[in-house]
């Protein structure tokens, strides 16, 4: 999801900025509202942003492919602080990664936020919500959310590249070509992100359920609690 400067055309990266703004602006409004309702929400959101920063800047090697890639952290963030807030903190995270670490570019923050912070976060959050409605165990719903959000992030990133660079090649074919560059390396990391997301959420349930935004838990499998809502 760290597309560098100079890869996307000005029309492409400006369009992705515009698309990202449609989610970031409501996200800022939501954050302001929640901060007014609960002062503890701001430091919790900041710590979530730190987590996304660290997770998404990790260069994790995959020995089978001889390459490295990044997990995302946004599916977990979307579950605990909401998808719109995740879009905002992702934009901030990607800005600092571009400035200080050279991960991604400035012109491509919109595109990278759209893939990682918006599509990755929302797809993970929707997977979580859907599976919880089906009464799936918390660890399973969280794990699937982590996996889906990770894969969707790189599918969208490959689409962004294909949309700008496909030339005379059919768009869908070029999209799959780009994703096959990501896929073999990203699949093991998506599995690892699934395990990580499930483990972190389960620990939070067991130790600090008050930090979870209105999530209801079943007595046996999830440890029944009624948390104090600080998120959505």
């Amino acid at each position: 999801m760290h597309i560098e400067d100079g890869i996307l055309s000005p029309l492409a990266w400006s369009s992705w900025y515009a698309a990202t703004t449609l989610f970031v602006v409501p996200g800022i409004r939501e954050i302001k509202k929640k901060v007014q309702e609960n002062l503890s929400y701001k430091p919790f959101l900041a710590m979530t942003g730190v987590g996304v920063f660290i997770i998404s800047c990790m260069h994790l090697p995959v020995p089978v492919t001889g390459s490295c890639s990044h997990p995302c952290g946004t599916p977990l963030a979307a579950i605990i602080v909401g998808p719109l807030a995740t879009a905002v903190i992702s934009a901030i995270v990607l800005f600092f990664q571009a400035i200080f670490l050279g991960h991604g570019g400035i012109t491509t923050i919109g595109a990278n936020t759209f893939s990682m912070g918006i599509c990755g976060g929302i797809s993970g959050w929707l997977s979580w919500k859907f599976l919880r409605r089906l009464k799936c165990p918390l660890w399973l719903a969280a794990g699937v959310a982590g996996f889906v959000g990770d894969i969707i992030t790189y599918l969208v990133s490959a689409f962004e590249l294909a949309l700008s660079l496909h030339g005379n090649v059919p768009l869908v074919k070029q999209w799959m070509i780009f994703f096959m560059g990501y896929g073999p390396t990203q699949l093991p990391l998506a599995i690892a992100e699934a395990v990580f997301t499930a483990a972190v959420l389960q620990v939070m349930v067991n130790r600090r359920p008050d930090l979870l935004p209105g999530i209801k838990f079943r007595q046996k499998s999830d440890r029944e609690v009624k948390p104090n809502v600080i998120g959505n």
Side-chain angles (χ1 to χ4, degrees):
M1 67 288 192
H2 290 119
I3 299 174
E4 300 290 343
D5 288 320
I7 295 178
L8 303 181
S9 67
L11 177 60
W13 60 253
S14 60
S15 298
W16 289 117
Y17 262 112
T20 296
T21 301
L22 297 176
F23 294 86
V24 170
V25 171
I28 293 173
R29 292 173 181 165
E30 180 181 279
I31 290 171
K32 288 181 178 179
K33 179 181 178 181
K34 290 180 178 179
V35 168
Q36 292 176 348
E37 294 172 351
N38 192 333
L39 294 178
S40 65
Y41 180 76
K42 183 182 288 187
F44 181 66
L45 186 68
M47 290 305 299
T48 303
V50 170
V52 172
F53 181 93
I54 294 173
I55 294 167
S56 62
C57 75
M58 291 180 178
H59 272 294
L60 298 182
V62 179
V64 176
T65 62
S67 182
C68 297
S69 190
H70 306 272
C72 303
T74 49
L76 176 61
I79 292 172
I80 63 178
V81 299
L84 291 178
T86 298
V88 176
I89 62 177
S90 296
I92 297 170
V93 161
L94 288 163
F95 171 77
F96 283 110
Q97 287 179 349
I99 292 293
F100 294 111
L101 302 177
H103 289 179
I106 298 298
T107 60
T108 54
I109 288 175
N112 292 332
T113 300
F114 193 84
S115 61
M116 184 183 87
I118 296 172
C119 294
I122 290 177
S123 62
W125 180 79
L126 288 175
S127 299
W128 158 263
K129 288 290 188 181
F130 176 73
L131 290 175
R132 290 298 285 170
R133 283 187 178 275
L134 295 180
K135 308 300 182 182
C136 288
L138 182 143
W139 64 267
L140 178 59
V144 171
F147 180 87
V148 170
D150 189 294
I151 292 297
I152 292 296
T153 293
Y154 283 87
L155 271 169
V156 174
S157 186
F159 178 76
E160 292 170 346
L161 292 170
L163 193 61
S164 293
L165 304 174
H166 69 95
N168 295 325
V169 179
L171 176 60
V172 174
K173 181 179 180 180
Q174 188 65 63
W175 181 17
M176 290 300 100
I177 290 172
F178 277 120
F179 183 68
M180 286 307 296
Y182 287 130
T185 300
Q186 201 59 36
L187 182 59
L189 293 186
I191 295 172
E193 179 148 11
V195 174
F196 172 81
T197 303
V200 170
L201 202 61
Q202 191 66 62
V203 169
M204 291 182 70
V205 169
N206 293 335
R207 300 195 176 188
R208 290 299 305 273
D210 57 298
L211 294 177
L212 296 173
I215 298 174
K216 296 180 180 179
F217 310 105
R218 294 191 297 279
Q219 180 72 40
K220 294 183 179 179
S221 59
D222 298 336
R223 183 183 178 187
E224 178 75 15
V225 293
K226 294 182 179 179
N228 295 322
V229 177
I230 70 167
N232 59 345

